[in-house]
Amino acid sequence: MSRLRIFSDTNPDAPDFTSHDGDEIARELAKIGVRFERWQASQPVAAGASQEEVIAAYKADIDRISAERGFTTVDVISISPDNPKKDELRAKFLDEHFHKEDEVRFFVEGSGTFYLHIYDTVYGVVCEAGDLLSVPEGATHWFDMGVNDPQFCAIRFFHDGEGWVGDFTGEKISASFPGHDELIAGK
């Protein structure tokens, strides 16, 4: 289940706000310029589907977002518990960073948590299948796919063919917040 927890950046043990309601999550995130919405596939998507099959199932929404935001490249990333690079990828995304373009992800299956560090507040957004999250250009954040059994398939949107490029802040704030595994366990 998708959820949002809002923390003071100095108190990672006690969220000031928690919600599992998609509309409420969208309203809270809109206050900081973050887009959250839910999509339905136009056709069934089997586990392990090819990039082409995944994109075809969400083509109308992909085309809509791409036209609205000027995205020129779309791809699909999949991580499973048996991926030999899962630990390396998790470590890379866990460091606080920002991008020079919006980071837009749509979760086809599985889950992951985006942590948005806006001023003195951290927004922990657990995204699951059907969730789209758009992190604005320049917003500091990190992503945790979990340590125990990381699994997700997500559609990524880019303005150019360069793909994922992060500018790292050097801050180690992510180490003090509950990880994805803890958030999905309700801790």
Side-chain angles (χ1 to χ4, degrees):
M1 173 182 303
S2 310
R3 66 200 68 165
L4 170 65
R5 287 192 176 174
I6 302 175
F7 304 84
S8 163
D9 66 359
T10 59
N11 191 6
D13 298 321
D16 298 324
F17 175 88
T18 300
S19 179
H20 297 280
D21 178 83
D23 293 333
E24 189 171 39
I25 292 169
R27 281 191 304 273
E28 287 298 317
L29 292 175
K31 293 175 185 177
I32 58 168
V34 174
R35 181 181 200 159
F36 177 86
E37 58 187 48
R38 293 197 166 137
W39 295 356
Q40 294 291 320
S42 63
Q43 60 198 42
V45 180
S50 71
Q51 176 169 291
E52 293 76 19
E53 292 168 320
V54 169
I55 290 172
Y58 295 97
K59 184 165 179 23
D61 284 313
I62 290 169
D63 289 349
R64 175 179 56 85
I65 293 289
S66 295
E68 284 175 16
R69 309 289 282 283
F71 294 115
T72 60
T73 305
V74 175
D75 72 7
V76 176
I77 183 172
S78 293
I79 302 292
S80 61
D82 62 351
N83 185 312
K85 293 189 174 196
K86 68 180 180 186
D87 294 333
E88 175 186 330
L89 288 169
R90 180 175 185 265
K92 175 181 176 181
F93 299 140
L94 266 179
D95 287 336
E96 186 181 66
H97 60 277
F98 64 92
H99 303 283
K100 294 182 177 137
E101 67 177 11
D102 294 351
E103 181 170 3
V104 180
R105 300 293 180 266
F106 173 74
F107 284 77
V108 175
E109 65 182 49
S111 65
T113 301
F114 277 89
Y115 297 83
L116 310 158
H117 187 195
I118 311 297
Y119 301 113
D120 60 353
T121 304
V122 172
Y123 299 77
V125 187
V126 176
C127 295
E128 296 192 338
D131 293 344
L132 174 118
L133 187 74
S134 177
V135 178
E137 173 184 351
T140 55
H141 63 281
W142 66 93
F143 176 75
D144 188 2
M145 65 180 99
V147 126
N148 296 332
D149 292 311
Q151 175 139 4
F152 70 89
C153 174
I155 299 171
R156 305 185 303 175
F157 296 78
F158 301 104
H159 286 107
D160 59 44
E162 194 173 356
W164 191 94
V165 177
D167 290 307
F168 295 93
T169 66
E171 296 294 325
K172 298 300 179 193
I173 186 170
S174 64
S176 60
F177 278 82
H180 174 68
D181 295 329
E182 290 83 17
L183 289 184
I184 62 171
K187 297 178 183 175

